[in-house]
Amino acid sequence: MKFKSLFFIFLSTFLAIAVKGQDTIPSQSSIVEGLFVEDATFDSLVEANLAGPQKPTLEDLITKGKLYSVLANQIKLDLFKPLDTLEYSQEIIAFNNTIERITQSIQTPGKNFNLRYINGLNWVTNNIGRQNQDFEKTIDKRMSELTHLDSLLKTIKNDKLLTYNLKDSSIIPAYSEAILKLKGDIIMLDSALYSQQLITARFQSEVSKVSINLMTLDQFIEINKKELERSLLTKEINYLWETNSIPSPRTILEISKESIDLNFGFLKTYLADNKASLGLSLFLIGFVYFLMKTVIKKIESQKDFGKLILERVRFYKKYPLSATMTSLLPLLVFLFERPSLVFITFLIILQVAFTTVLIYEQYEKNDFLKWVIMILFFLFFSISNLFREIVYQERIYLLLGSLFPLYVSGISSRKFKTEDKKEETFLTKISLFMFVLLSFGFLANIFGRFSLAKIVSVAGVTGFMQAISLYFFVNVIMEGIYLLIEYSKKETDTFTSYFDFQGIQKRLKGIFLFAAVLLWTFSFLQNASLKDAVVDYLRLFLEKERFIGDNSFTYGSIILFGLLIYASLLLANTIAYFASVKDQKKAEGRNKKLGSSVLLIRLAIITVGFFIAAAAASIPLNNITIVLGALSVGIGFGLQTIINNLVSGIILAFERPIQIGDEIEVGNMSGTVKEVGIRASKIQAYDGSEIVVPNGDLLSQQLVNWTLSDNRRRIEIKVGVSYGSDMQKVKSVIDGVLAREKVLKIPLPRVLMENFGDSSVEFRVLFWVETIDIWLDMRAEIMSAIYEAFQKNGIEIPFPKRDLYLKGLPEDIRESLEKIFPVTESVETENKKSPET
């Protein structure tokens, strides 16, 4: 419509000029002056210093009108995405209320808060600070967006386009309507934008206020924390043998009830704030529980050796729920963001409870009774650890409560035995460590260092109980893996059916033991109120910049580089292990096996891991090139053999002359290929020994691969018969022996007369078998059958004979021989007649 109107204007103008007979064409500015008039009412929105003196053309006005209309619509859409003021207002109010309550509680006279409570407050303020920073980033981003929208709106407002109105709106009605709508939108957008800028600025102010209050509170908490840490080694109360001067306005039961109620509220709040993590945890527990129940039922009903398999299972068969919880509870902590001490304590109590069910039938009643009593002391120490004030009334209870755990920790290493010596060593060391901690806490309590004694004793008892629970955690995990593998073996096309449980156990058990140690260390530091101090010290130590010459580095970057390289090597070796197990157990064609191609995968993973590690550790590429240059010099002098083997391994991976499971001969060595490595390959000889062959030797020496194209093997047997035998009968008898199932019909077996020997006619028997695995057995079977067939058919297999003639023996030797071998009368007579015989 607008373009039709514009065309009409130009056409009318042209005709008018032609009729009047004018010799010149009017300018665009004269056309604008003829059609438009300046709007003084809208002139207030335009800054005078930005208004250009030059008159716009008609084309400029139309183009700008269209552009500014689109821009105004975009600004309107962006303004319709305001902040969630209700949510932010509620959260900021909650932040301020929490900060105010904490400030009032700390500054209340007469309150003597302990270090655990101060650390808990520090955890709360850190969480508020992180959420407040997220709000601040969102609000600052919104303010930047509003500032950008304001600049765009000013661009439209400062353009002279808005000051031009058509003298007659009917000439270009579409343009006139668009300009009027644009002016109305600008007025509305200007007001809405100003309103949102005010709201956002108010939220910026409130968030900044929260940050300032948090900073003040953190400083106050840090001061109290340092004072408590300094007072740990000082005498707080009287020595045990001195007169008791501890005021006791409340009983220990009242204090415990108050602490339980308070921390139960904290736990509910934390779980409510982490509903997604809680839902995922419950889903995992239900999924694993029903999965293991299904696996056990199907093994029991469908597997041929189901009863034998389940006899090896101690936990999942009788207590599937407790086994599931024991195996998952230590891992659920990783699903929650910054777990609090209350939540960690709750998980440990659950873990100990479900571990108790597993212990019930594993040990004698006396041992189980000791464990149950130990749980009661563990619950007391756990509740005591949740007190927010220093409660001297519990001193005597801590002293008495340390005696039985000391006894149990001293004898635990003799009660929890395992076939794995590493686990036994781990439990022995952890028990000794706990014994030392409890003894130190007991002595510290006697000498009036109450806070230090409580921290050490609580950490000792809780750490000991968790260590035992983690011991069962590792064993239950291994048992679950065993059940899944045995269950999967019923399906021949299932990938896991090729796994060897013993091999997997050796690889995975170390990982889970490491995870158990990591979990125990984290929990121990948390209970000992040392986590923040240790984390801060490690961060400072690892992130401190150090120099060697002009090059800077940090220990953290070195450790990160080493860990990533180790992870890439572990991943590459694990993939190679599973691939080799699969290839050895999978009865398919050679081309369907991964074989030596795994070497390329390993090299790719290690290479990618190296560059990722270098990038993560901020190692410049020019330093890497320097190292590679130094390596090239080393290669020139002493690493030729290693590089040769490495390149040979890559060639083997591409050309694939050998695969895992091939039967080969190289030099004077023969056997089955077990592994094609980066530098060397492993061959398992037929006598059971493993031969490590450098990859360079596999390429430089003559290599015989019996299974390169297929697994068939030709067998050769040589047999001799006497000269008087019927040769056709001999051949037919051998042909009859070869007519059996395991001897291939194609190629046909052949019986060839090969040679006339000194005492026999030699035949050469050639036949093929389907697989090289049975060639020795078939060779022995055919030879035995030929021997028996020759005996039945009267065919003699000659053996060499030799007659020995002795002449001119001395008399003494002859007499000695006659004594040993008496000579008959005929022989004596013959000897007398012929003394030379």
Side-chain angles (χ1 to χ4, degrees):
M1 181 68 183
K2 291 187 291 185
F3 292 105
K4 289 182 178 179
S5 301
L6 184 62
F7 177 75
F8 177 77
I9 292 173
F10 280 110
L11 182 60
S12 301
T13 304
F14 179 78
L15 291 175
I17 294 171
V19 170
K20 293 182 179 180
Q22 296 178 350
D23 296 330
T24 59
I25 299 176
S27 64
Q28 287 288 330
S29 61
S30 63
I31 295 175
V32 172
E33 291 175 355
L35 295 177
F36 292 89
V37 61
E38 291 192 14
D39 185 5
T41 61
F42 205 81
D43 214 23
S44 61
L45 292 176
V46 182
E47 297 182 10
N49 59 341
L50 295 176
Q54 187 177 2
K55 297 288 184 178
T57 65
L58 179 62
E59 183 180 358
D60 290 340
L61 293 176
I62 294 173
T63 302
K64 285 185 177 182
K66 182 179 179 182
L67 176 63
Y68 290 160
S69 297
V70 174
L71 191 57
N73 288 331
Q74 184 62 46
I75 294 174
K76 186 186 300 184
L77 291 175
D78 290 340
L79 286 177
F80 284 157
K81 298 183 294 184
L83 291 171
D84 190 352
T85 55
L86 179 61
E87 179 189 357
Y88 287 178
S89 298
Q90 293 175 347
E91 291 292 339
I92 290 174
I93 291 173
F95 292 163
N96 287 323
N97 291 336
T98 303
I99 294 171
E100 184 178 357
R101 286 198 304 269
I102 293 175
T103 304
Q104 291 177 356
S105 66
I106 293 179
Q107 296 177 350
T108 302
K111 293 288 185 180
N112 194 9
F113 295 106
N114 56 28
L115 186 59
R116 205 285 304 172
Y117 182 69
I118 294 297
N119 287 330
L121 294 181
N122 198 10
W123 178 86
V124 173
T125 56
N126 287 337
N127 280 340
I128 294 176
R130 281 200 318 276
Q131 295 182 47
N132 192 62
Q133 285 180 357
D134 294 338
F135 288 168
E136 188 174 10
K137 290 179 182 178
T138 304
I139 293 171
D140 289 344
K141 181 181 178 182
R142 182 59 180 172
M143 182 58 79
S144 299
E145 292 175 355
L146 293 178
T147 303
H148 177 65
L149 296 178
D150 185 57
S151 65
L152 295 178
L153 192 59
K154 282 183 178 180
T155 302
I156 302 175
K157 289 163 50 179
N158 294 333
D159 199 298
K160 290 288 288 182
L161 166 72
L162 302 178
T163 63
Y164 287 95
N165 286 337
L166 282 170
K167 294 179 179 180
D168 185 1
S169 60
S170 62
I171 299 177
I172 315 178
Y175 174 79
S176 180
E177 293 174 2
I179 293 298
L180 288 175
K181 185 177 182 300
L182 177 61
K183 291 179 180 180
D185 289 344
I186 290 174
I187 296 174
M188 182 270 294
L189 292 176
D190 189 61
S191 176
L193 182 60
Y194 179 71
S195 175
Q196 289 204 24
Q197 284 177 326
L198 287 179
I199 294 173
T200 307
R202 180 172 63 85
F203 276 108
Q204 277 185 322
S205 175
E206 292 180 358
V207 168
S208 299
K209 181 181 177 181
V210 172
S211 299
I212 293 173
N213 292 336
L214 272 177
M215 189 180 303
T216 304
L217 182 59
D218 285 337
Q219 291 176 352
F220 190 76
I221 291 174
E222 190 65 26
I223 292 172
N224 282 269
K225 183 178 179 180
K226 289 182 178 179
E227 290 179 356
L228 287 172
E229 289 175 348
R230 283 195 296 266
S231 65
L232 285 177
L233 298 178
T234 61
K235 180 183 177 182
E236 298 178 68
I237 56 176
N238 59 290
Y239 296 132
L240 191 62
W241 56 84
E242 294 179 345
T243 304
N244 186 3
S245 60
I246 303 173
S248 55
R250 293 186 299 169
T251 65
I252 193 68
L253 291 178
E254 293 175 346
I255 297 172
S256 299
K257 184 178 182 304
E258 178 188 354
S259 176
I260 291 174
D261 293 339
L262 180 64
N263 286 280
F264 185 70
F266 289 157
L267 179 62
K268 288 196 300 184
T269 303
Y270 180 78
L271 293 178
D273 293 338
N274 294 270
K275 293 180 180 179
S277 300
L278 179 61
L280 180 59
S281 301
L282 294 176
F283 170 77
L284 286 175
I285 291 172
F287 174 77
V288 174
Y289 171 73
F290 287 108
L291 173 65
M292 299 311 298
K293 287 275 290 184
T294 303
V295 167
I296 291 173
K297 286 182 180 179
K298 291 190 175 181
I299 288 177
E300 192 173 11
S301 60
Q302 298 178 9
K303 299 287 286 185
D304 295 336
F305 300 97
K307 186 177 180 180
L308 178 61
I309 293 173
L310 294 179
E311 284 179 357
R312 302 173 183 174
V313 175
R314 295 187 299 166
F315 307 119
Y316 271 108
K317 182 181 179 182
K318 293 184 178 180
Y319 313 107
L321 179 60
S322 297
T324 300
M325 297 297 290
T326 303
S327 63
L328 289 181
L329 281 174
L331 302 177
L332 294 182
V333 69
F334 294 108
L335 298 179
F336 292 83
E337 183 181 2
R338 289 183 62 85
S340 63
L341 179 61
V342 179
F343 180 69
I344 293 174
T345 303
F346 174 69
L347 287 182
I348 295 176
I349 292 174
L350 286 179
Q351 186 181 352
V352 170
F354 286 108
T355 303
T356 303
V357 179
L358 303 182
I359 293 176
Y360 177 67
E361 291 189 359
Q362 300 301 317
Y363 299 93
E364 298 179 358
K365 291 184 178 181
N366 291 334
D367 297 329
F368 180 73
L369 181 61
K370 293 176 184 176
W371 174 259
V372 172
I373 297 175
M374 189 68 189
I375 291 177
L376 299 178
F377 286 97
F378 161 70
L379 291 176
F380 167 74
F381 278 99
S382 298
I383 295 173
S384 175
N385 192 35
L386 298 177
F387 291 173
R388 63 175 181 169
E389 301 178 38
I390 299 177
V391 183
Y392 295 119
Q393 295 93 316
E394 60 176 336
R395 179 185 189 184
I396 191 65
Y397 298 102
L398 289 177
L399 283 171
L400 296 176
S402 299
L403 295 176
F404 188 79
L406 272 170
Y407 167 72
V408 173
S409 64
I411 66 170
S412 62
S413 61
R414 294 186 286 115
K415 296 299 180 181
F416 292 94
K417 295 292 184 179
T418 175
E419 295 179 357
D420 192 338
K421 296 301 181 183
K422 292 182 179 180
E423 284 188 20
E424 189 173 322
T425 303
F426 164 73
L427 287 173
T428 302
K429 290 181 178 180
I430 208 70
S431 300
L432 178 61
F433 185 55
M434 293 303 103
F435 183 83
V436 172
L437 281 180
L438 291 172
S439 301
F440 179 78
F442 188 85
L443 294 175
N445 200 346
I446 292 176
F447 289 98
R449 276 69 176 174
F450 174 76
S451 296
L452 178 62
K454 180 177 177 178
I455 291 174
V456 174
S457 299
V458 169
V461 173
T462 306
F464 176 78
M465 297 296 288
Q466 191 184 19
I468 302 300
S469 299
L470 289 173
Y471 165 78
F472 282 91
F473 157 75
V474 175
N475 284 278
V476 171
I477 287 285
M478 291 296 102
E479 187 174 284
I481 294 174
Y482 168 72
L483 287 173
L484 291 174
I485 291 176
E486 290 297 332
Y487 171 71
S488 67
K489 285 183 178 179
K490 72 173 188 175
E491 308 215 5
T492 56
D493 57 343
T494 303
F495 183 70
T496 54
S497 65
Y498 305 113
F499 295 168
D500 177 27
F501 174 70
Q502 297 298 328
I504 293 177
Q505 188 181 44
K506 290 179 181 178
R507 292 176 175 270
L508 294 184
K509 201 164 191 179
I511 296 176
F512 286 110
L513 281 174
F514 175 77
V517 173
L518 190 65
L519 287 168
W520 180 87
T521 303
F522 174 80
S523 177
F524 175 79
L525 293 177
Q526 188 88 325
N527 288 314
S529 302
L530 294 173
K531 184 176 74 69
D532 293 336
V534 172
V535 170
D536 292 339
Y537 174 78
L538 289 177
R539 182 182 293 113
L540 180 63
F541 176 77
L542 296 176
E543 294 180 357
K544 183 179 180 180
E545 192 172 11
R546 306 169 195 276
F547 293 90
I548 297 180
D550 295 332
N551 297 318
S552 63
F553 70 95
T554 62
Y555 288 136
S557 62
I558 295 175
I559 294 174
L560 179 61
F561 180 82
L563 288 176
L564 290 175
I565 291 295
Y566 175 78
S568 62
L569 289 172
L570 182 64
L571 178 61
N573 292 334
T574 302
I575 292 176
Y577 168 76
F578 287 148
S580 62
V581 171
K582 176 184 175 182
D583 286 349
Q584 291 173 20
K585 302 289 181 67
K586 196 171 184 179
E588 291 186 4
R590 185 177 186 274
N591 295 329
K592 294 183 180 180
K593 296 181 179 181
L594 291 174
S596 55
S597 300
V598 179
L599 176 61
L600 296 177
I601 300 175
R602 292 179 64 186
L603 288 174
I605 293 174
I606 293 173
T607 303
V608 173
F610 174 79
F611 284 105
I612 291 176
S618 301
I619 299 177
L621 291 178
N622 56 350
N623 291 347
I624 297 177
T625 56
I626 293 174
V627 174
L628 293 177
L631 285 177
S632 63
V633 176
I635 292 170
F637 286 98
L639 300 179
Q640 299 99 326
T641 304
I642 296 176
I643 298 301
N644 174 45
N645 292 327
L646 174 63
V647 174
S648 299
I650 297 175
I651 294 174
L652 289 174
F654 277 105
E655 293 188 355
R656 305 178 73 181
I658 61 172
Q659 294 279 58
I660 295 174
D662 283 355
E663 304 287 339
I664 67 170
E665 293 181 10
V666 53
N668 58 352
M669 298 171 290
S670 60
T672 305
V673 179
K674 304 293 290 184
E675 179 185 344
V676 181
I678 297 176
R679 187 196 66 85
S681 300
K682 290 182 181 179
I683 300 174
Q684 185 171 16
Y686 298 121
D687 60 0
S689 62
E690 290 189 355
I691 307 171
V692 179
V693 182
N695 291 331
D697 293 346
L698 294 176
L699 290 181
S700 61
Q701 298 185 22
Q702 182 178 358
L703 175 66
V704 177
N705 191 338
W706 291 99
T707 55
L708 181 62
S709 301
D710 52 55
N711 288 334
R712 296 185 302 173
R713 168 80 187 250
R714 194 191 73 173
I715 301 175
E716 177 181 358
I717 298 175
K718 292 184 178 181
V719 59
V721 298
S722 61
Y723 275 96
S725 302
D726 185 350
M727 300 305 166
Q728 292 299 325
K729 185 178 180 181
V730 170
K731 187 173 181 181
S732 62
V733 168
I734 296 177
D735 287 336
V737 171
L738 296 177
R740 56 187 61 209
E741 182 180 356
K742 294 183 179 180
V743 177
L744 295 180
K745 304 301 185 291
I746 299 175
L748 287 173
R750 304 185 68 184
V751 180
L752 305 174
M753 184 183 292
E754 184 181 46
N755 189 28
F756 295 106
D758 295 337
S759 58
S760 64
V761 179
E762 298 176 358
F763 282 84
R764 186 183 183 192
V765 182
L766 304 174
F767 62 94
W768 291 78
V769 292
E770 181 66 30
T771 173
I772 194 173
D773 297 333
I774 63 172
W775 81 275
L776 285 175
D777 295 334
M778 285 302 300
R779 187 175 187 276
E781 180 181 335
I782 296 296
M783 290 181 67
S784 298
I786 290 175
Y787 181 80
E788 293 174 0
F790 279 5
Q791 281 190 329
K792 290 180 181 179
N793 290 274
I795 301 173
E796 181 185 359
I797 300 177
F799 53 89
K801 297 179 181 179
R802 180 169 296 175
D803 296 330
L804 184 62
Y805 296 92
L806 301 177
K807 296 184 178 181
L809 286 176
E811 187 66 24
D812 54 347
I813 295 178
R814 187 176 64 81
E815 291 178 354
S816 299
L817 289 175
E818 287 180 354
K819 291 179 181 180
I820 299 173
F821 304 104
V823 183
T824 60
E825 183 177 352
S826 60
V827 174
E828 291 180 355
T829 305
E830 184 177 354
N831 286 337
K832 289 179 181 180
K833 293 180 180 179
S834 179
E836 294 181 357
T837 301

